Structure formats: structure tokens, C-alpha cells
Amino acid sequence: MAKQKTRRLAIVLGDQLNADSALFDDFDQQCDVIWMAEAPAESTHVWTHKARIALFLSAMRHFRDQRQTDGYRVDYRQMDDDRIAETLGEELQAAVKRLKPESLAMVHAGEWRVQQQMEQAADDAGLPLEVLPDRHFYATPEEFAEHAKGRKQLRLEYFYRELRKKHGVLLEEDEEPTGGKWNYDADNRGTFGKKGPGELPEPPTFLSHGPTQEVLELVEDRFASHPGSLENFNWPTTPGQAERALDEFIEHRLPSFGDYQDALWTDQPFLYHALLASSLNLKLLNPRDVVAKAEQAYRSGHAPLNSVEGFIRQILGWREYVRGVYWLHMPGYVDRNALQARHPLPDFYWTGDTDMHCLSQAIGQTLEHGYAHHIQRLMVTGLFALMLGVDPKEVHEWYLAVYVDAVEWVELPNSLGMAQYADGGVMASKPYCATGKYIQRMSNYCGGCRYNPAKATGEDACPFTTLYWDFLARNADELKGNNRMALQLKNVERKDADELAAIRERADEIRGALAPA
Ligand code: FAD
Ligand code: SF4
């Protein structure tokens, strides 16, 4: 049989697994070929959690199989193929030599580094590369740049309202927000009190067979020294599974999502959270479907407005907003370090081995599942790194490595910007800093801890509380121009010199104990 000619090589990256992408609009099954590769460097450029590697590879293999069933030609190189090159760029060059396409096409990558690699490979091959817009998102980077133009400070709220109006989400006929308010954030901060969460709905389970089983074995074998466990791997790897995850969330957890969005509880990794970020980020789910189903749950009386608005704000609001920030500020954003933080990331971030109960819980479940919810990321692991003064690039690389939903466009603004304030206020109007009392209020972690959140000095002082005062004292000059920090800085000024010296001494001890040997 004569070898088919390749007109166009259509690049599909590991987080572009949507069959309705612009890449397939005028795809000619006779002469166009889908190109995909499991380049090892994508799993090693940060020290990636085994579950994150397995999820990407399994979802890619399922996508390949489905496309082949649908009649597409797919050039796919698996990681266990001896011929595989290390990087995506090298693999693409090899595919170009093999298939001799006339041109290349791709949907814009989600990560600046990968986009550069693809453009460089096309350049080196002397082929035109058509870069198509990513229609998965509500807003384009250009739309965000337009929104940002002339604004001294960016704030989620304004962009979120623009998108609500433009897309008619939770909007009444008179263009007013459903329920009369744009934002029910104040009703999203409930705690479980002393009695705890009671019986929680179980998230759905997904069987690991076919490509998932193959990939779990491959990852266990090839990435044995990487962090995390595959024992509890239970993430959707196909659009069908992702839809089931969405439906079960809407049915069982969305009604209480709003009340307990910020709450934490020992040995309860998921609570009422959606567990949908990885499915959204790999594009197994379309955010429009997610938002529409959530809104329908409100309109039908199944879920209250504080839950539905709170959930939609995360997706139509934060998710779109952080993507805008990423593309507006890359490539320089990743090198920002507004507070000149230089401490290395403590080793226990990779093991969970610490006597601080909140951290051992948040990191422990991260290693077990590749998952922690937002407040664990922001107000436990993120908060501790911020106040300890960890180099924000190390913090960013950790978050990119350990979560199954981590893709740089969403992870970087959240970690380096929101959690570490390393962008000097682009993402957050002030640093998220707090004493251990915040964690005590939102969880039952402190009850099982050897430290006392009320104390800043002494043997049983909570390290969060010590580091909070030390953080404010150390960064007072940098933060004093920020009105929103005025009260917190005033409270530092009220402390007498001896107390501040004792806090500094204790903070130095903590830093010393967490420095590399
Ligand atoms: P839920 O809490 O149920 O929220 C619903 C959905 O809203 C999520 O699935 C997600 O798609 C979206 N969402 C919620 N908060 C945010 C946010 N701040 N930014 C963007 N989208 C949001 N999210 C990622 O998708 N990938 C990351 O790599 C990532 N890294 C983070 C790092 C730090 C330091 C912080 C503070 C947050 C990070 N987030 C990240 C945002 C958020 O924590 C996760 O989206 C969420 O915890 C995922 O769990 P879930 O699906 O159960 O979300
Ligand atoms: Fe965390 Fe401090 Fe509470 Fe212990 S006392 S769980 S270290 S906040």
C-alpha cells in the first residue's frame, strides 16, 4: 500500500484533550495527522508526583485511542518506546523527519516554556506553525489584557463581573446579578465547629483498567523515586468519567460547597470540594458545561446561591483571571521575588514528616492523592512557606510537581502570586499572612498538635504564630505603603522590643532547624 502523505501535523499537548478544539475544525482525515508524544522531560523538569504523571499519560492514551476509533491518524510515541527523545521539541523534530509534513498546527500551549519549544522546533524544521486560539476558556489573553489596560491594580471582582455579564451567568433580565449581589464570599467561610463534619459524601470511584492500568505500572517502575503514591489513584481520565465526577459533585457535594469552602478537617482530604480541576485543566471537561450545570442546580432549587455563586466564581472568575495574569506577565513573572525570600524549601514538603499537625495533614494527603484543597494550599503549605521566607521559585516548583491539576498557567499565579506575594501585589492586594489561630478557627488540626497557636514564643509556641510576627517585622518597610496592611503593622509596633527580640530569636531557631544540613 502506498504511504499516505502528511499535509499537516496537528500537535496535541497533554493538557489539550478536547475533541472540540480549534485544531479539528478543518482537519482532513485523509492527509492530516495528529501528533502526540510522552516526552520524559515533561515528567522530570520538576520532581513530579507519580499520580500527576500517571494522570496525564493515561488521559493522553485514552484520547489517542478515541481519536483512532473516530478515524483519525495519530502519530503517538509512548514513553516506553526506546526511540523516544527526551523533550517535546526533540520529539517533534523527529516526527517531522519521519512524516515530512508541509506545515504544523497547534492550539496555543498553556505553558510559556512549551509554546517556546514548539515554535523553536518549527523554526528549526523550517516549517510554518499555525497557532490557534484556545477556545476552552471563556476569555482570551487579549481580552484580559484589554481589561487590564490603564488599571493601576487588577482585581478579580471586576473581571468576574464583566464575564458574568458577557456570558449571562447568574444574571437576571435587568442585567442585575441573581439574588441581588455579585459575590457571596462572606457566606463561604463556615467551619465544622466542635462536632465536626459528620458523615461526608464519598467521591465517585473510577476503575483503573486498560491504558490507566498500563500507565500505573509504567510510572511505578520508571519513576519509583518520585514523590507520592499511586495506591489511591482515582482521577477521571476520560471525558465520560469527568462528566460522572461533575454530576456526582453537583448531586451530592455542591449544596454544602458554599458553607464549607474554607473549612479544614483532620483525615478528610476532600470534604465538599469538586475534585474537578484536573479534568478541567486537561480539558476533559468544558467549563461552560460545568457552570451551566451548577447554575441549573440553583434554578431547580437543588443547591443554594452561596454554594452555586461561590463555585461559579472559582471557575468563571478565578480560573479565567489567573490565566489572564499568567499571559500578561510571562515570561518575567516566574522570576519575581518582591520580598527577597531566599530560604530553601524545607525537606518535609516532600515527605510530610513534621510535628506541625496542619502541615503533616496537608502534605500527607498531597502525597497520598496528589490533591489538597484551596485553603490547605493557600493557608497551610503556602502560608508557612511565605512566612518562613522560602524562595518563591522553589515554592512554585513544588506546587507544579505535586498536584494532579497542576499546569503552569494556573499554578504559577496562585503559588508565586497569591500565596507568596512574590509578584508584589499583582494577584493579591496584600500578603495572605495569619497566625496559627486562623488554622485553629477553620479546622481541628491544632487539637492534635504539640504546639499552641496562641503562643509566639517558648518551646510550645506555634511556628505559624512566631513566623507571623517575624514576617511582619521583617517586611514592614516593604509593606508599609499598603493601606490594607496598616492594622497588622500597627499591632507589630505595639509589641515591645523585648518581645520582638524573643520572637526573632525563636523564628531564627525555626529557620535554623529547617535549613539544609
Ligand atoms: P474546588 O475547590 O472544588 O473549586 C472548583 C474549581 O474552581 C476547581 O476545580 C478549579 O478549576 C477552580 N478554582 C478554584 N480556585 C481556583 C483558583 N484559585 N485558581 C484557578 N482556579 C480555581 N488550581 C489548579 O487548577 N491547578 C493548580 O496547579 C493550582 N495550584 C494552586 C496553588 C496554590 C498555592 C493555590 C493557593 C491554589 C492553587 N490552585 C490550583 C487553585 C485551587 O486550589 C485548585 O483549583 C483547587 O484546590 C482544586 O480542587 P477542586 O477541583 O476540588 O476545587
Ligand atoms: Fe498548625 Fe500551629 Fe495549629 Fe499546630 S498549633 S496545627 S502548627 S497552626
Side-chain angles (χ1 to χ4, degrees), residues 366-380:
T366 297
L367 295 172
E368 208 175 322
H369 302 283
Y371 179 83
H373 66 70
H374 187 67
I375 293 300
Q376 291 176 308
R377 298 187 204 197
L378 183 64
M379 298 306 287
V380 181

PDB file of all heavy atoms in Angstrom, residues 366-380:
ATOM      1  N   THR A 366      -1.488  15.265  50.209  1.00  0.00           N
ATOM      2  CA  THR A 366      -0.954  15.643  48.895  1.00  0.00           C
ATOM      3  C   THR A 366      -0.153  14.477  48.318  1.00  0.00           C
ATOM      4  O   THR A 366      -0.281  14.115  47.152  1.00  0.00           O
ATOM      5  CB  THR A 366      -0.059  16.893  49.028  1.00  0.00           C
ATOM      6  OG1 THR A 366      -0.870  17.978  49.477  1.00  0.00           O
ATOM      7  CG2 THR A 366       0.615  17.263  47.725  1.00  0.00           C
ATOM      8  N   LEU A 367       0.669  13.865  49.175  1.00  0.00           N
ATOM      9  CA  LEU A 367       1.490  12.753  48.697  1.00  0.00           C
ATOM     10  C   LEU A 367       0.623  11.521  48.415  1.00  0.00           C
ATOM     11  O   LEU A 367       0.876  10.765  47.479  1.00  0.00           O
ATOM     12  CB  LEU A 367       2.573  12.422  49.721  1.00  0.00           C
ATOM     13  CG  LEU A 367       3.592  13.565  49.923  1.00  0.00           C
ATOM     14  CD1 LEU A 367       4.524  13.273  51.085  1.00  0.00           C
ATOM     15  CD2 LEU A 367       4.408  13.804  48.646  1.00  0.00           C
ATOM     16  N   GLU A 368      -0.437  11.375  49.202  1.00  0.00           N
ATOM     17  CA  GLU A 368      -1.305  10.209  49.038  1.00  0.00           C
ATOM     18  C   GLU A 368      -2.172  10.321  47.778  1.00  0.00           C
ATOM     19  O   GLU A 368      -2.375   9.355  47.059  1.00  0.00           O
ATOM     20  CB  GLU A 368      -2.205  10.113  50.265  1.00  0.00           C
ATOM     21  CG  GLU A 368      -2.645   8.724  50.599  1.00  0.00           C
ATOM     22  CD  GLU A 368      -3.442   8.731  51.898  1.00  0.00           C
ATOM     23  OE1 GLU A 368      -3.088   9.497  52.821  1.00  0.00           O
ATOM     24  OE2 GLU A 368      -4.438   7.982  51.958  1.00  0.00           O
ATOM     25  N   HIS A 369      -2.702  11.517  47.535  1.00  0.00           N
ATOM     26  CA  HIS A 369      -3.692  11.660  46.449  1.00  0.00           C
ATOM     27  C   HIS A 369      -3.278  12.610  45.321  1.00  0.00           C
ATOM     28  O   HIS A 369      -3.986  12.699  44.319  1.00  0.00           O
ATOM     29  CB  HIS A 369      -5.007  12.209  47.018  1.00  0.00           C
ATOM     30  CG  HIS A 369      -5.613  11.375  48.089  1.00  0.00           C
ATOM     31  ND1 HIS A 369      -6.293  10.206  47.841  1.00  0.00           N
ATOM     32  CD2 HIS A 369      -5.638  11.529  49.445  1.00  0.00           C
ATOM     33  CE1 HIS A 369      -6.722   9.684  48.982  1.00  0.00           C
ATOM     34  NE2 HIS A 369      -6.335  10.463  49.969  1.00  0.00           N
ATOM     35  N   GLY A 370      -2.207  13.403  45.514  1.00  0.00           N
ATOM     36  CA  GLY A 370      -1.915  14.462  44.540  1.00  0.00           C
ATOM     37  C   GLY A 370      -2.936  15.579  44.652  1.00  0.00           C
ATOM     38  O   GLY A 370      -3.175  16.320  43.701  1.00  0.00           O
ATOM     39  N   TYR A 371      -3.536  15.706  45.815  1.00  0.00           N
ATOM     40  CA  TYR A 371      -4.624  16.668  45.989  1.00  0.00           C
ATOM     41  C   TYR A 371      -4.582  17.312  47.370  1.00  0.00           C
ATOM     42  O   TYR A 371      -4.334  16.637  48.380  1.00  0.00           O
ATOM     43  CB  TYR A 371      -5.986  15.968  45.830  1.00  0.00           C
ATOM     44  CG  TYR A 371      -7.147  16.920  46.032  1.00  0.00           C
ATOM     45  CD1 TYR A 371      -7.595  17.723  44.987  1.00  0.00           C
ATOM     46  CD2 TYR A 371      -7.770  17.060  47.281  1.00  0.00           C
ATOM     47  CE1 TYR A 371      -8.629  18.631  45.174  1.00  0.00           C
ATOM     48  CE2 TYR A 371      -8.807  17.963  47.470  1.00  0.00           C
ATOM     49  CZ  TYR A 371      -9.236  18.744  46.418  1.00  0.00           C
ATOM     50  OH  TYR A 371     -10.246  19.644  46.604  1.00  0.00           O
ATOM     51  N   ALA A 372      -4.820  18.607  47.407  1.00  0.00           N
ATOM     52  CA  ALA A 372      -5.175  19.309  48.645  1.00  0.00           C
ATOM     53  C   ALA A 372      -6.125  20.398  48.201  1.00  0.00           C
ATOM     54  O   ALA A 372      -6.035  20.870  47.061  1.00  0.00           O
ATOM     55  CB  ALA A 372      -3.942  19.916  49.316  1.00  0.00           C
ATOM     56  N   HIS A 373      -7.040  20.805  49.077  1.00  0.00           N
ATOM     57  CA  HIS A 373      -7.972  21.831  48.603  1.00  0.00           C
ATOM     58  C   HIS A 373      -7.379  23.227  48.795  1.00  0.00           C
ATOM     59  O   HIS A 373      -6.295  23.394  49.354  1.00  0.00           O
ATOM     60  CB  HIS A 373      -9.374  21.630  49.182  1.00  0.00           C
ATOM     61  CG  HIS A 373      -9.474  21.816  50.652  1.00  0.00           C
ATOM     62  ND1 HIS A 373      -9.357  23.046  51.244  1.00  0.00           N
ATOM     63  CD2 HIS A 373      -9.680  20.911  51.644  1.00  0.00           C
ATOM     64  CE1 HIS A 373      -9.509  22.905  52.546  1.00  0.00           C
ATOM     65  NE2 HIS A 373      -9.690  21.625  52.806  1.00  0.00           N
ATOM     66  N   HIS A 374      -8.134  24.203  48.321  1.00  0.00           N
ATOM     67  CA  HIS A 374      -7.575  25.547  48.181  1.00  0.00           C
ATOM     68  C   HIS A 374      -7.011  26.116  49.493  1.00  0.00           C
ATOM     69  O   HIS A 374      -5.919  26.685  49.517  1.00  0.00           O
ATOM     70  CB  HIS A 374      -8.665  26.471  47.631  1.00  0.00           C
ATOM     71  CG  HIS A 374      -8.152  27.828  47.293  1.00  0.00           C
ATOM     72  ND1 HIS A 374      -7.265  28.053  46.269  1.00  0.00           N
ATOM     73  CD2 HIS A 374      -8.382  29.034  47.860  1.00  0.00           C
ATOM     74  CE1 HIS A 374      -6.980  29.330  46.210  1.00  0.00           C
ATOM     75  NE2 HIS A 374      -7.648  29.951  47.164  1.00  0.00           N
ATOM     76  N   ILE A 375      -7.755  25.962  50.577  1.00  0.00           N
ATOM     77  CA  ILE A 375      -7.296  26.584  51.827  1.00  0.00           C
ATOM     78  C   ILE A 375      -6.082  25.836  52.375  1.00  0.00           C
ATOM     79  O   ILE A 375      -5.186  26.433  52.973  1.00  0.00           O
ATOM     80  CB  ILE A 375      -8.464  26.685  52.841  1.00  0.00           C
ATOM     81  CG1 ILE A 375      -9.506  27.678  52.291  1.00  0.00           C
ATOM     82  CG2 ILE A 375      -7.997  27.142  54.222  1.00  0.00           C
ATOM     83  CD1 ILE A 375      -9.006  29.112  52.040  1.00  0.00           C
ATOM     84  N   GLN A 376      -6.007  24.537  52.124  1.00  0.00           N
ATOM     85  CA  GLN A 376      -4.787  23.827  52.532  1.00  0.00           C
ATOM     86  C   GLN A 376      -3.580  24.353  51.742  1.00  0.00           C
ATOM     87  O   GLN A 376      -2.497  24.517  52.284  1.00  0.00           O
ATOM     88  CB  GLN A 376      -4.948  22.324  52.282  1.00  0.00           C
ATOM     89  CG  GLN A 376      -5.959  21.683  53.203  1.00  0.00           C
ATOM     90  CD  GLN A 376      -6.164  20.228  52.863  1.00  0.00           C
ATOM     91  OE1 GLN A 376      -6.429  19.878  51.717  1.00  0.00           O
ATOM     92  NE2 GLN A 376      -6.048  19.367  53.868  1.00  0.00           N
ATOM     93  N   ARG A 377      -3.791  24.628  50.446  1.00  0.00           N
ATOM     94  CA  ARG A 377      -2.679  25.134  49.624  1.00  0.00           C
ATOM     95  C   ARG A 377      -2.312  26.560  50.015  1.00  0.00           C
ATOM     96  O   ARG A 377      -1.135  26.910  50.107  1.00  0.00           O
ATOM     97  CB  ARG A 377      -3.066  25.098  48.137  1.00  0.00           C
ATOM     98  CG  ARG A 377      -3.346  23.704  47.610  1.00  0.00           C
ATOM     99  CD  ARG A 377      -3.568  23.681  46.106  1.00  0.00           C
ATOM    100  NE  ARG A 377      -4.373  22.520  45.723  1.00  0.00           N
ATOM    101  CZ  ARG A 377      -4.473  22.036  44.506  1.00  0.00           C
ATOM    102  NH1 ARG A 377      -3.819  22.570  43.509  1.00  0.00           N
ATOM    103  NH2 ARG A 377      -5.245  20.990  44.239  1.00  0.00           N
ATOM    104  N   LEU A 378      -3.347  27.381  50.223  1.00  0.00           N
ATOM    105  CA  LEU A 378      -3.084  28.807  50.475  1.00  0.00           C
ATOM    106  C   LEU A 378      -2.713  29.085  51.928  1.00  0.00           C
ATOM    107  O   LEU A 378      -1.734  29.786  52.195  1.00  0.00           O
ATOM    108  CB  LEU A 378      -4.342  29.617  50.102  1.00  0.00           C
ATOM    109  CG  LEU A 378      -4.238  31.138  50.217  1.00  0.00           C
ATOM    110  CD1 LEU A 378      -3.203  31.684  49.234  1.00  0.00           C
ATOM    111  CD2 LEU A 378      -5.594  31.808  49.958  1.00  0.00           C
ATOM    112  N   MET A 379      -3.483  28.501  52.863  1.00  0.00           N
ATOM    113  CA  MET A 379      -3.355  28.920  54.257  1.00  0.00           C
ATOM    114  C   MET A 379      -2.657  27.888  55.146  1.00  0.00           C
ATOM    115  O   MET A 379      -2.628  28.038  56.369  1.00  0.00           O
ATOM    116  CB  MET A 379      -4.743  29.249  54.827  1.00  0.00           C
ATOM    117  CG  MET A 379      -5.431  30.401  54.112  1.00  0.00           C
ATOM    118  SD  MET A 379      -4.455  31.933  54.034  1.00  0.00           S
ATOM    119  CE  MET A 379      -4.542  32.501  55.727  1.00  0.00           C
ATOM    120  N   VAL A 380      -2.113  26.834  54.543  1.00  0.00           N
ATOM    121  CA  VAL A 380      -1.284  25.917  55.342  1.00  0.00           C
ATOM    122  C   VAL A 380       0.097  25.837  54.675  1.00  0.00           C
ATOM    123  O   VAL A 380       1.044  26.487  55.139  1.00  0.00           O
ATOM    124  CB  VAL A 380      -1.940  24.521  55.508  1.00  0.00           C
ATOM    125  CG1 VAL A 380      -1.044  23.630  56.364  1.00  0.00           C
ATOM    126  CG2 VAL A 380      -3.320  24.644  56.175  1.00  0.00           C
TER     127      VAL A 380
END
